[in-house]
Amino acid sequence: MLRAHGLPYGELERRGVALPVRRIDLRYLTPAFYEDVLLVHVWIEKHRSASMTFGYAIERENEGGGADTVARATVELACIDLASRRPQVFPDELQEFLRAHGG
């Protein structure tokens, strides 16, 4: 999602910022199989000054042309300074991204 909006994660790390996973909640609803084409939808559920939570829905097309939800997940990320490995407030460009894309 970050890359799609012009802010690749690798660029954040080159600038000394990392977003490690603090928590993940994943619920499988129906199986997916090899060769299934899956669609992953992602959005920002919430954000604070130094953490954010993404929501995910993973879907598979069904024979009727609709989609079946295979799984739902939330992932909470913290913002840290890579050098000190301490929490930090999101850099300005990431704060702008969060304001522009909800949560």
Side-chain angles (χ1 to χ4, degrees):
M1 181 179 189
L2 293 170
R3 181 180 48 224
H5 292 284
L7 187 60
Y9 180 76
E11 180 59 29
L12 289 174
E13 285 199 346
R14 283 188 286 283
R15 295 179 187 184
V17 177
L19 301 174
V21 174
R22 289 184 62 196
R23 179 184 176 133
I24 188 166
D25 181 40
L26 175 61
R27 181 168 185 148
Y28 294 99
L29 303 170
T30 189
F33 300 94
Y34 288 105
E35 304 302 323
D36 283 350
V37 175
L38 302 175
L39 299 170
V40 179
H41 304 277
V42 61
W43 61 92
I44 299 169
E45 285 203 350
K46 64 181 175 182
H47 69 277
R48 296 187 175 118
S49 62
S51 69
M52 68 176 120
T53 302
F54 286 103
Y56 295 85
I58 302 165
E59 297 179 335
R60 174 189 55 238
E61 279 189 28
N62 61 35
E63 293 178 10
D68 297 319
T69 302
V70 172
R72 292 190 181 281
T74 57
V75 177
E76 182 183 356
L77 306 174
C79 184
I80 66 167
D81 176 274
L82 274 173
S84 68
R85 298 187 181 226
R86 304 282 303 160
Q88 74 170 46
V89 173
F90 288 120
D92 291 341
E93 63 197 336
L94 195 47
Q95 287 184 40
E96 290 173 25
F97 169 82
L98 292 168
R99 279 193 296 272
H101 296 92

